[in-house]
Amino acid sequence: MTALGAVVFDWGGTLAVHQPVELLDLWRTAARILSPEDEESLTQRLVAVDQRVWARTLSTMRSVRLMDIVREASEEVGLDVAQAVISAAQDAHLDDWTRTITHHVSAREVLLDARERALAVGLLSNTHWPRSYHEHFLTRDGLIDLFDARLYTCEIDWMKPHPEPFESIAYRLDTPMEACLFVGDRPVDDIQGAADVGMQTVWIANDHAPGDGTVADHVIDDLSQLPALLERLTDPRRG
């Protein structure tokens, strides 16, 4: 196996954890801003659009942005939404998530450990949120400076497991694909996608992500176990 040069982390479910938040709650504030007299029915329609857009990404792997969802929702409900109102709705959407999102208790220790091993450290997340949303959480929890490169699929045309996101983060880390170790919690988006482009893989085993027969190079039960794995993988006496 090729010597490691970089570790790339998925974000949601890997570095970040959150309590479940209902789409109903996320879009209710937006509906209240857009049409307070029709808040309930508009909320349900906005939720339906959100679900429809994300369902579409499963088959196309085309990336999606929060603004795309808002535009499609505007077309659906026949509202001409001003930029100021869209921004207010986005901020309210983020506020709902801010209260529930935290990073894994071992995230900082794990990232520091990778850097101390002279490995480049990357972040690759499937997301429709703009970069500023993720940077908000990373800055809040003191993690943002521990990455050499951060890539969000809202900034490119494709989502994991399409090859482009993996190729793009490897390029930004200036590391050959086969020298990258991808750490993620989703067997298809993370593990299969990374393996298909030649990256080494670590799956954080879980109950909620369905398996499809894809076999990761390494399996751990918790993010906190990664430093021990990196110790074995970077020990010059191995093999």
Side-chain angles (χ1 to χ4, degrees):
M1 188 171 287
T2 303
L4 290 184
V7 182
V8 181
F9 293 87
D10 167 55
W11 188 67
T14 299
L15 288 178
V17 294
H18 62 81
Q19 298 299 317
V21 178
E22 295 294 333
L23 291 176
L24 178 66
D25 298 329
L26 294 177
W27 288 107
R28 186 177 298 282
T29 302
R32 189 176 302 126
I33 292 170
L34 297 170
S35 183
E37 69 280 2
D38 193 30
E39 177 184 327
E40 188 58 39
S41 63
L42 184 55
T43 297
Q44 297 297 336
R45 295 176 72 184
L46 292 172
V47 169
V49 172
D50 193 313
Q51 293 173 328
R52 184 177 70 216
V53 171
W54 276 103
R56 195 162 60 229
T57 68
L58 297 178
S59 60
T60 66
M61 287 189 281
R62 297 290 300 189
S63 63
V64 64
R65 299 158 181 81
L66 182 56
M67 290 295 288
D68 296 332
I69 300 176
V70 173
R71 289 192 189 96
E72 187 162 329
S74 297
E75 294 173 1
E76 176 88 8
V77 302
L79 294 174
D80 182 11
V81 186
Q83 180 62 43
V85 176
I86 294 176
S87 296
Q90 287 181 335
D91 289 343
H93 183 96
L94 174 62
D95 287 344
D96 280 326
W97 280 94
T98 297
R99 292 191 296 271
T100 65
I101 288 180
T102 60
H103 285 97
H104 192 287
V105 293
S106 299
R108 182 173 179 81
E109 174 189 345
V110 167
L111 294 172
L112 284 170
D113 178 82
R115 294 182 67 85
E116 289 169 359
R117 298 179 192 281
L119 298 172
V121 178
L123 177 69
L124 174 58
S125 177
N126 271 0
T127 181
H128 65 284
W129 290 346
R131 172 176 286 264
S132 60
Y133 281 23
H134 292 276
E135 311 286 78
H136 164 81
F137 298 117
L138 294 171
T139 300
R140 181 196 66 186
D141 294 343
L143 304 179
I144 196 164
D145 293 329
L146 301 182
F147 296 98
D148 297 292
R150 301 180 299 278
L151 177 61
Y152 309 105
T153 58
C154 64
E155 300 175 325
I156 59 178
D157 292 332
W158 300 95
M159 303 176 69
K160 298 176 293 181
H162 191 278
E164 182 182 333
F166 298 100
E167 293 167 352
S168 295
I169 191 65
Y171 176 80
R172 296 180 189 206
L173 292 171
D174 193 26
T175 304
M177 203 75 69
E178 64 274 12
C180 292
L181 179 72
F182 194 91
V183 183
D185 68 314
R186 295 186 178 276
V188 177
D189 293 357
D190 297 331
I191 304 308
Q192 180 178 309
D196 284 349
V197 297
M199 287 185 175
Q200 302 173 48
T201 57
V202 179
W203 181 48
I204 301 178
N206 56 79
D207 295 329
H208 67 80
D212 70 335
T214 300
V215 178
D217 295 309
H218 310 279
V219 178
I220 58 178
D221 296 318
D222 188 82
L223 182 67
S224 62
Q225 297 172 357
L226 186 63
L229 175 61
L230 292 180
E231 174 68 24
R232 296 197 300 273
L233 296 178
T234 57
D235 185 344
R237 296 167 297 179
R238 70 187 188 281

